[in-house]
Amino acid sequence: MRDSFYYLRCKVSGYKNHQTNATMPANTIVRGSVMWNLWHGCHKLSPGCKYCYVYRGDAKRDVDSSVVTQTKNFDLPIRKKRNGEYKIPSGTLVYTCFTSDFFVEDADEWRAEAWSMIKQRSDLNFILITKRIDRFAQCLPEDWGDGYNNMTICCTVENQACADYRLPIYKAVPIKHKIIICEPLLEKVDLRPFDIGTWIEQVVAGGESGNEARVCHFDWVMDLRNICVEEDVAFWFKQTGAKFVKEGKLYLIKRQLQHAQARKAEINFK
C-alpha cells in the first residue's frame, strides 16, 4: 500500500489515453475521478510500508489491516442506474485498489473478475500503484497482450534497493502506461541506469506523512526532477512529507500543508 495521490485538486494535463482519448493525470488528482477500493488490507512488504497510512487509519478503528477482504464496492465500475446507464460516466479516471495492493496474493481468487470489469469498462481509465510488480506476469488475464489501453500501472520504488530490484522487471513487462512512484522517498534514488525516457511517462516524488514519518530531503527530490528533465519525462513533486530537510534545515510540516508546500516549490515538470 502507498501514501500516494490523495487530497489534491485538479489541474487537467498529461497524456491522452489511446483508446478513450481521455486525459490522464500529470501533476495532480483529476477532478471528477472515482476511488475504487475493491479489496482492503495488505501485508507489509518493504521499507516504504513501515508506517503505512492504511494501517494507521485501521488501527484507530480496531481493524486488522493484514486481513485482506473484498469490499462492498467490488463491482462499482459496472453498477448501473435505473435507466440502464452506468453510474460511473464514460471517460472517468478510476483510482484503483488504494487501500491494498492489486497484486497481493490474498486477492488472487478475485482478480480475474476485476480484470473482466476493467475490460468491460474500456471507456474508463484505471490507475493503480503496486509494490508487487514481480507478481505481475502471473496475475494477468489471458487477453492482456501488450496491455489494456485504459490501464495505467504504477510501480513504487522508495529506495535504491527497491529501484534496482523492481524497475528492471517493470521495464520488461507489457504495460501501456507506466509511472514510477518514489513515495515515501526514503533516500536518494538514482534512476539514471534505467533509461526512463524510453518507457516511463511520469515520476512522482513525495515524503512520508504521519507522526512517525522518516525524513525526506529536498536534494533527493531535485535529483529525481533533474533526471526527468534530462530524459523529458513528466515530474510531480506531490508532497513534502511531515519531516522535510532543505538546505540543511529540518522543517516539521503539518499534514494539511504538505501538498501546498510541495506546490510552492514550483518544480513540477511538464
Side-chain angles (χ1 to χ4, degrees):
M1 290 175 287
R2 305 138 306 265
D3 192 4
S4 287
F5 282 104
Y6 279 102
Y7 308 118
L8 285 179
R9 295 180 299 155
C10 173
K11 181 181 91 176
V12 178
S13 58
Y15 60 87
K16 296 286 186 179
N17 178 278
H18 296 166
Q19 180 167 333
T20 66
N21 202 39
T23 301
M24 299 297 286
N27 296 328
T28 187
I29 280 287
V30 173
R31 181 173 295 151
S33 59
V34 171
M35 187 69 69
W36 179 34
N37 289 319
L38 60 171
W39 45 81
H40 181 93
C42 200
H43 307 292
K44 294 185 178 184
L45 180 69
S46 60
C49 302
K50 186 174 183 179
Y51 301 122
C52 173
Y53 72 93
V54 174
Y55 270 70
R56 295 200 311 263
D58 282 351
K60 296 176 182 178
R61 300 184 295 272
D62 197 27
V63 173
D64 186 352
S65 300
S66 68
V67 177
V68 180
T69 57
Q70 190 180 107
T71 72
K72 63 181 181 180
N73 287 323
F74 180 76
D75 64 345
L76 181 63
I78 59 171
R79 289 180 184 173
K80 294 184 177 181
K81 304 175 184 178
R82 291 183 179 180
N83 64 4
E85 295 178 355
Y86 286 116
K87 291 185 175 181
I88 301 178
S90 180
T92 299
L93 181 65
V94 181
Y95 293 95
T96 303
C97 211
F98 272 54
T99 61
S100 184
D101 190 307
F102 190 79
F103 299 110
V104 69
E105 294 87 341
D106 309 58
D108 285 352
E109 63 181 299
W110 310 316
R111 195 174 299 101
E113 188 174 355
W115 284 128
S116 178
M117 288 186 280
I118 290 169
K119 183 179 181 182
Q120 180 177 333
R121 291 305 311 271
S122 61
D123 59 320
L124 302 178
N125 297 297
F126 296 86
I127 184 168
L128 64 84
I129 305 173
T130 185
K131 288 187 175 76
R132 291 170 169 81
I133 198 65
D134 55 356
R135 296 201 75 236
F136 176 82
Q138 68 193 81
C139 296
L140 290 180
E142 292 181 357
D143 62 353
W144 180 258
D146 61 353
Y148 291 168
N149 287 327
N150 66 329
M151 187 88 240
T152 299
I153 296 179
C154 312
C155 179
T156 298
V157 292
E158 64 265 38
N159 60 20
Q160 192 66 48
C162 289
D164 292 344
Y165 173 66
R166 293 173 185 158
L167 291 186
I169 299 171
Y170 190 38
K171 183 178 182 179
V173 294
I175 299 170
K176 290 287 183 66
H177 303 292
K178 297 181 179 182
I179 296 174
I180 294 174
I181 308 294
C182 298
E183 185 181 20
L185 183 59
L186 302 179
E187 65 182 27
K188 179 179 178 180
V189 176
D190 184 7
L191 297 180
R192 287 174 177 81
F194 305 104
D195 194 24
I196 62 171
T198 64
W199 59 285
I200 287 295
E201 293 176 346
Q202 183 188 44
V203 174
V204 178
E208 188 170 38
S209 64
N211 294 332
E212 297 178 295
R214 289 156 286 185
V215 171
C216 179
H217 287 252
F218 186 62
D219 289 347
W220 304 344
V221 176
M222 285 302 299
D223 190 68
L224 291 171
R225 182 189 187 275
N226 291 341
I227 182 60
C228 286
V229 173
E230 293 167 15
E231 297 287 340
D232 198 30
V233 172
F235 176 77
W236 176 19
F237 179 29
K238 189 180 76 65
Q239 67 174 33
T240 60
K243 299 175 183 177
F244 192 65
V245 173
K246 183 178 181 181
E247 297 176 349
K249 182 177 180 180
L250 173 64
Y251 295 88
L252 303 180
I253 303 175
K254 295 181 179 180
R255 185 70 183 93
Q256 64 268 28
L257 299 177
Q258 291 169 25
H259 296 97
Q261 290 299 316
R263 288 195 299 273
K264 287 180 179 179
E266 296 184 342
I267 61 171
N268 294 337
F269 177 66
K270 297 185 73 173

